[in-house]
Amino acid sequence: MESLYGTPEIICFCKNCVISNQRPRSTIEFKHTSSDKKQTMGFDENGICDACKYSQVKANLIDWKLRESKLIELLDKYRKNNGQYDVVVPGSGGKDSAFTSHILKYKYGMNPLTVTWAPHLYTDIGWKNFTNWSHIGGHDNLLFTPNGKLHRHLTRLAFLNLLHPFQPFIVGQRIIGPLLAAKHGISLVMYGENQAEYGNDPNENFDPTMDQKFFTEGNPLEMKLGGISIKDIIKSSEFTLQDFSPYIPPSAEFLEKQKVVVHYLGYYLEWDPQECYYYAVENTGFEANTERTPGTYSKYSSIDDKIDMFHYYTTYIKFGIGRATYDASQEIRNGKITREEGVHLVNKYDAEFPEKYFKDFLEYIDIDREKFIETVDNARSPHLWEKVNNEWKLRYKVSNKNHFDS
């Protein structure tokens, strides 16, 4: 049956965690036991996903004391003793960026400038944690808020064309660190963990720097945002190329000329999201939400933006992978919960609709409920979804039996 997004038509789940082979950007071939057709899915021949395999590498094969010594060597190279900033830490003041900036400043003696690409719509707890990052955590911060009119337009396009409302935000969030570092004469940028840890190209886990492929050359007018080139957006709107400046990645050549390098702290220190949370609570005034996030059981991860939960809801529609799947998978790998518990949590929460901020989301991207439903239903891949008694149901769900069961 047809897959709309190039994911494997045969659906299976990791035997160790609860992620499926539908997760995008997987790269390793795996042969299904009932077919000789190879499927690109990031699983090995034993049905274990790349992220779970790397978690074992982290636990057993990496000398973390040696990695920390390499971190200190790196920081000493860029350390300034004249009162100037010597490292940029991008983030929102969430648990991960709060951990990164605080430990760099108070354990390793760096002078970080924290920079933030503003959320679409701050939540109350998100704004509180952001301000606590400076007021309690003790950091200087630059809050960058992109052209709101353009950002709303791009978010709308991304939802309607890609069912990916977070795409423009992700682009801006990823380049704001290098851009502002170059502007302020700071050579080192430090992000938290590398997303490769969760199932992207596993080879990236063994490189401490951000993939240079992201910093592309070429005509910026051909860059696509929301599924449409900047050139075509300009043709059909009042926006100019200058309006898109914060979204256009700097070239690798430009960063090299400016002597800007981008590293991941998770390469040097053993990264554990739960431990980051405990550290941030103790040291930066970070607070979990008073209620769990719709679509999952967690109260402390990605809680600063009202649009964030619609990002995860759309991954559930396109790939059958919701927020609870992502949360449970990493907690299984880190030994916080069992796979059996993860299966229960996924089946209980993954399909939950984020009703709380639905009205805000519709108003933000200027569509009505009917258009939302139409767009979502058109994005359901036939190999994942079927209608039963006029209700959409996933054809396959994770279970405790084995990773091929429906």
Side-chain angles (χ1 to χ4, degrees), residues 300-351:
Y300 62 78
S301 182
S302 298
I303 56 175
D304 58 310
D305 194 335
K306 293 180 180 180
I307 307 298
D308 188 84
M309 57 196 70
F310 291 94
H311 164 56
Y312 284 97
Y313 180 73
T314 56
T315 66
Y316 177 70
I317 297 300
K318 290 195 294 185
F319 308 112
I321 299 174
R323 191 165 194 159
T325 294
Y326 284 108
D327 289 346
S329 291
Q330 64 92 359
E331 289 199 348
I332 292 168
R333 295 175 199 129
N334 290 323
K336 311 299 183 184
I337 62 175
T338 66
R339 188 178 190 275
E340 183 176 4
E341 290 170 324
V343 168
H344 172 74
L345 291 167
V346 168
N347 287 326
K348 184 173 183 178
Y349 294 117
D350 233 22

Side-chain angles (χ1 to χ4, degrees), residues 94-322:
K95 59 181 177 54
D96 297 330
S97 53
F99 169 82
T100 299
S101 59
H102 193 276
I103 203 167
L104 286 175
K105 182 172 183 175
Y106 293 101
K107 180 175 181 179
Y108 297 106
M110 298 297 283
N111 185 21
L113 173 64
T114 66
V115 300
T116 301
W117 178 278
H120 303 82
L121 297 169
Y122 264 110
T123 61
D124 291 342
I125 190 65
W127 180 252
K128 185 175 184 180
N129 284 327
F130 170 70
T131 55
N132 282 351
W133 194 20
S134 291
H135 296 171
I136 297 176
H139 298 295
D140 296 343
N141 176 268
L142 289 178
L143 173 61
F144 182 85
T145 304
N147 178 333
K149 192 172 185 179
L150 175 59
H151 199 57
R152 289 178 66 170
H153 183 65
L154 295 178
T155 303
R156 183 178 193 274
L157 290 177
F159 175 76
L160 294 176
N161 296 331
L162 306 173
L163 204 73
H164 187 0
F166 240 44
Q167 189 231 23
F169 174 86
I170 290 171
V171 170
Q173 182 188 50
R174 193 168 189 186
I175 67 176
I176 193 65
L179 279 177
L180 290 184
K183 180 177 178 63
H184 290 275
I186 305 169
S187 296
L188 178 62
V189 180
M190 188 71 75
Y191 283 83
E193 81 275 43
N194 189 338
Q195 290 299 304
E197 223 178 280
Y198 305 118
N200 293 3
D201 183 349
N203 296 313
E204 293 181 15
N205 287 307
F206 302 98
D207 186 345
T209 61
M210 185 177 286
D211 188 349
Q212 290 296 301
K213 289 183 295 185
F214 183 75
F215 304 110
T216 56
E217 305 285 351
N219 185 350
L221 287 169
E222 300 302 328
M223 177 182 175
K224 289 189 175 182
L225 289 165
I228 302 177
S229 71
I230 290 177
K231 175 179 62 179
D232 288 336
I233 295 173
I234 292 172
K235 283 181 181 178
S236 61
S237 70
E238 62 187 285
F239 302 112
T240 67
L241 181 59
Q242 285 71 27
D243 291 319
F244 291 87
S245 176
Y247 302 91
I248 300 172
S251 68
E253 180 182 2
F254 171 79
L255 293 181
E256 185 176 352
K257 184 178 179 180
Q258 299 295 316
K259 299 181 179 179
V260 174
V261 295
V262 185
H263 283 247
Y264 293 106
L265 187 62
Y267 174 84
Y268 301 100
L269 303 178
E270 189 169 8
W271 196 266
D272 185 320
Q274 285 75 15
E275 296 307 315
C276 290
Y277 164 67
Y278 298 136
Y279 183 98
V281 168
E282 183 175 351
N283 295 285
T284 71
F286 179 82
E287 295 181 16
N289 208 348
T290 55
E291 57 188 14
R292 65 173 181 82
T293 303
T296 191
Y297 54 93
S298 168
K299 295 182 178 181
Y300 62 78
S301 182
S302 298
I303 56 175
D304 58 310
D305 194 335
K306 293 180 180 180
I307 307 298
D308 188 84
M309 57 196 70
F310 291 94
H311 164 56
Y312 284 97
Y313 180 73
T314 56
T315 66
Y316 177 70
I317 297 300
K318 290 195 294 185
F319 308 112
I321 299 174

Side-chain angles (χ1 to χ4, degrees), residues 15 28-31 33 43-48 53 403:
K15 291 173 69 175
I28 290 181
E29 289 186 333
F30 168 79
K31 187 180 289 186
T33 54
F43 283 41
D44 68 12
E45 65 277 3
N46 297 312
I48 305 298
K53 288 189 291 182
H403 64 301

